[in-house]
């Protein structure tokens, strides 16, 4: 099916399993275990000689439908669904790396991922080097004999820097390492990292795959050989996606393509409008010609995505943070929350929330100013969103 049909069709049709009742939408299997016809069948299932469901920690039909649909969209051989995006990242490292292995990643990855790598996994013997996302030579220079994995997130949060997936894949492969891409911001609707040379794709399904801010989940995708040990970790450790959450995600994926196009169209309109406003010093959006990696973004992603960040110009006597907080507090419609990928637009002050746990010096080095605001553009009418940001129009 995957070769025959286009993305929109796969999003609606791929991965569906139908029971004897002939339901036209995917069924929710809220049960922990599955019955066998005989002791021999139980033995065959447990021994891996017969495919089929055993126990929902590692086999559940609704979760299987989620995995098969997302595999079709990413062009992956295999997918493992997990309880959250963070557990997808943990399962990837646990499945693929061992103590003493080295991971190269960028400073501009999701904050909790940095914490997982540097505070927790380091204690278990993982070596981690942080480099600049956009400097391919720095990735090359960071390689050591024990380098096992490059871990990339593109576009980055909140500054929407672009990592060059194809070039980083070449550098990783030349070093005998794998390239993993956290594809949370684009989803396969806008970017398919495996087709660009990446080995592993990771998702926080919590974001755009759900699309309405309801449930948590994650996924790891790639070739059978690479994903099998990740599945082995999940089967044993139980970082499992619940069947209910899988059912919500399957429903979300049917509309993923149309939603991502709608998010991106609104985000581009907002970004272009922001560039015209007297109180805006700078706008970060990969779909703008002013973005330093506009050309690369155009090659690598179908559209700019739904995240726009910008710096506010303080009024006389205001600090940068006061200026940003004033704009945020003046909104009536947009939700003040750090989540993203929701139909409801959200507004965040990264320096005092998502990036507050890193030192002011590290924040400055990462280019995250106190005047920076991030908007995850939802699906509301664009003019209503602009009206909610009217403060920016007053010089
Ligand atoms: C939210 C997020 C995660 C973590 O996902 P959870 O589902 O919250 O565990 C990982 N990577 C990126 C880019 C994210 O935005």
């Amino acid at each position: 099916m995957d070769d025959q049909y286009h993305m929109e069709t796969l999003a609606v049709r791929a991965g569906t399993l139908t029971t004897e009742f002939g339901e036209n939408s995917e069924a929710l299997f809220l049960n922990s275990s599955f019955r066998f016809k005989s002791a021999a069948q139980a033995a065959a299932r447990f021994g891996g000689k017969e495919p089929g469901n055993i126990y929902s920690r590692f086999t559940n039909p609704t979760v299987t439908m989620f995995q098969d649909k997302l595999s079709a969209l990413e062009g992956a051989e295999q997918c493992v669904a997990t309880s959250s995006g963070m557990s997808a990242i943990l399962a990837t490292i646990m499945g693929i790396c061992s103590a003493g292995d080295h991971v190269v990643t960028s400073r501009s990855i999701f904050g909790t991922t940095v914490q997982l790598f540097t505070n927790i996994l380091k204690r278990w013997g993982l070596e981690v080097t942080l480099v600049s996302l956009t400097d391919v030579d720095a990735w090359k220079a960071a390689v050591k004999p024990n380098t096992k994995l490059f871990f990339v997130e593109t576009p980055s949060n909140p500054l929407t820097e672009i990592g060059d997936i194809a070039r980083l894949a070449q550098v990783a492969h030349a070093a005998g390492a794998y390239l993993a891409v956290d594809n949370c911001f684009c989803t396969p609707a806008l970017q398919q990292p495996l087709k660009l040379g990446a080995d592993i794709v990771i998702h926080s399904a919590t974001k755009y795959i759900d699309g309405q801010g309801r449930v948590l989940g994650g996924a790891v995708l790639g070739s059978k050989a690479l994903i099998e040990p990740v599945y082995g970790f999940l089967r044993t450790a139980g970082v499992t996606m619940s069947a209910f959450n899988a059912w919500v995600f399957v429903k979300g994926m049917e509309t993923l393509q149309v939603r991502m196009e709608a998010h991106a169209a609104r985000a581009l309109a907002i970004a272009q409008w922001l560039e015209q406003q007297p109180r805006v010093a700078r706008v970060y959006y990969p779909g703008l010609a002013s973005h330093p990696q506009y050309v690369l973004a155009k090659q690598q992603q179908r559209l700019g995505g739904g995240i726009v960040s910008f710096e506010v110009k303080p009024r006389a006597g205001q600090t940068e943070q006061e200026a940003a907080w004033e704009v945020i507090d003046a909104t009536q419609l947009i939700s003040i929350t750090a989540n993203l990928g929701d139909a409801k637009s959200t507004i965040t002050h990264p320096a005092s929330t998502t990036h507050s746990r890193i030192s002011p010096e590290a924040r400055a080095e990462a280019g995250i100013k106190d005047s920076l605001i991030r908007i995850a553009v939802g699906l509301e009418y664009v003019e209503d969103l602009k009206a909610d940001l009217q403060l920016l129009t007053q010089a």
Side-chain angles (χ1 to χ4, degrees):
M1 181 160 191
D2 302 10
D3 300 331
Q4 191 183 351
Y5 294 109
H6 294 89
M7 182 76 78
E8 287 90 333
T9 308
L10 292 172
V12 176
R13 294 285 176 177
T16 300
L17 301 167
T18 308
T19 72
E20 61 186 287
F21 298 115
E23 69 280 1
N24 190 41
S25 56
E26 288 75 0
L28 171 51
F29 290 89
L30 269 184
N31 49 287
S32 42
S33 79
F34 296 84
R35 272 200 318 240
F36 309 110
K37 290 197 176 76
S38 64
Q41 188 184 42
R45 291 259 177 103
F46 270 85
K49 294 191 183 73
E50 180 189 298
N53 298 294
I54 299 174
Y55 183 61
S56 287
R57 186 183 337 106
F58 53 97
T59 44
N60 175 281
T62 312
V63 176
T64 300
M65 288 190 259
F66 166 85
Q67 293 174 157
D68 291 350
K69 197 184 274 295
L70 190 54
S71 291
L73 300 187
E74 287 286 8
E77 262 176 28
Q78 198 174 332
C79 171
V80 176
T82 59
S83 55
S84 68
M86 289 319 301
S87 64
I89 297 169
L90 176 67
T92 303
I93 302 294
M94 290 304 194
I96 289 168
C97 298
S98 302
D101 282 345
H102 176 230
V103 174
V104 186
T105 187
S106 94
R107 293 190 196 98
S108 15
I109 56 173
F110 187 62
T112 314
T113 312
V114 179
Q115 302 294 325
L116 176 70
F117 286 159
T118 60
N119 286 352
I120 297 178
L121 293 173
K122 227 173 194 167
R123 285 197 279 121
W124 296 90
L126 194 76
E127 238 191 287
V128 181
T129 304
L130 300 176
V131 295
S132 155
L133 173 63
T134 55
D135 183 356
V136 177
D137 290 334
W139 291 76
K140 204 181 280 180
V143 167
K144 301 179 187 190
N146 58 339
T147 303
K148 192 68 178 267
L149 190 72
F150 280 15
F151 185 96
V152 173
E153 194 182 306
T154 177
S156 73
N157 177 26
L159 295 177
T160 71
E161 292 172 300
I162 307 293
D164 190 330
I165 296 174
R167 283 182 66 204
L168 289 172
Q170 281 170 4
V171 174
H173 296 160
Y178 301 116
L179 173 65
V181 177
D182 182 334
N183 201 23
C184 172
F185 274 35
C186 274
T187 83
L190 303 188
Q191 171 173 279
Q192 293 171 294
L194 298 176
K195 297 204 169 141
L196 295 163
D199 305 287
I200 298 161
V201 171
I202 292 170
H203 277 286
S204 167
T206 315
K207 313 293 168 55
Y208 289 107
I209 289 178
D210 174 318
Q212 297 182 313
R214 300 285 196 266
V215 298
L216 273 92
V220 187
L221 302 104
S223 68
K224 269 197 162 52
L226 265 181
I227 299 305
E228 206 49 47
V230 179
Y231 176 65
F233 172 76
L234 171 123
R235 176 176 178 147
T236 309
V239 290
T240 309
M241 177 181 285
S242 88
F244 177 78
N245 292 9
W247 180 82
V248 173
F249 292 134
V250 165
K251 188 162 139 52
M253 272 191 281
E254 289 195 353
T255 56
L256 183 63
Q257 184 80 38
V258 287
R259 282 188 291 109
M260 290 313 291
E261 287 171 8
H263 282 294
R266 284 159 176 74
L268 177 61
I270 295 285
Q272 287 168 336
W273 177 80
L274 284 169
E275 276 196 318
Q276 309 299 319
Q277 301 315 314
R279 288 289 306 285
V280 175
R282 185 168 173 190
V283 183
Y284 300 86
Y285 183 68
L288 287 178
S290 60
H291 190 284
Q293 294 160 293
Y294 175 69
V295 175
L296 173 61
K298 250 192 138 57
Q299 285 165 4
Q300 186 165 286
Q301 346 179 154
R302 282 193 46 236
L303 297 164
I307 311 294
V308 180
S309 293
F310 60 97
E311 288 158 6
V312 184
K313 280 186 202 156
R315 288 186 285 110
Q318 253 186 342
T319 64
E320 287 194 350
Q321 173 166 307
E322 282 165 356
W325 282 19
E326 187 187 21
V327 171
I328 292 171
D329 289 341
T331 59
Q332 303 283 314
L333 188 68
I334 304 176
S335 311
I336 306 175
T337 173
N339 196 28
L340 62 98
D342 198 307
K344 297 181 176 72
S345 294
T346 67
I347 192 163
T348 314
H349 182 243
S352 61
T353 60
T354 51
H355 292 68
S356 62
R357 279 195 288 176
I358 58 175
S359 68
E361 296 75 35
R363 241 188 347 260
E365 201 185 329
I368 298 165
K369 297 190 179 173
D370 284 354
S371 60
L372 188 76
I373 291 176
R374 187 196 77 189
I375 297 182
V377 179
L379 299 176
E380 300 96 339
Y381 193 64
V382 172
E383 299 305 321
D384 294 337
L385 295 173
K386 290 181 190 170
D388 215 31
L389 298 165
Q390 273 311 301
L391 212 61
L392 297 168
T393 65
Q394 296 151 24

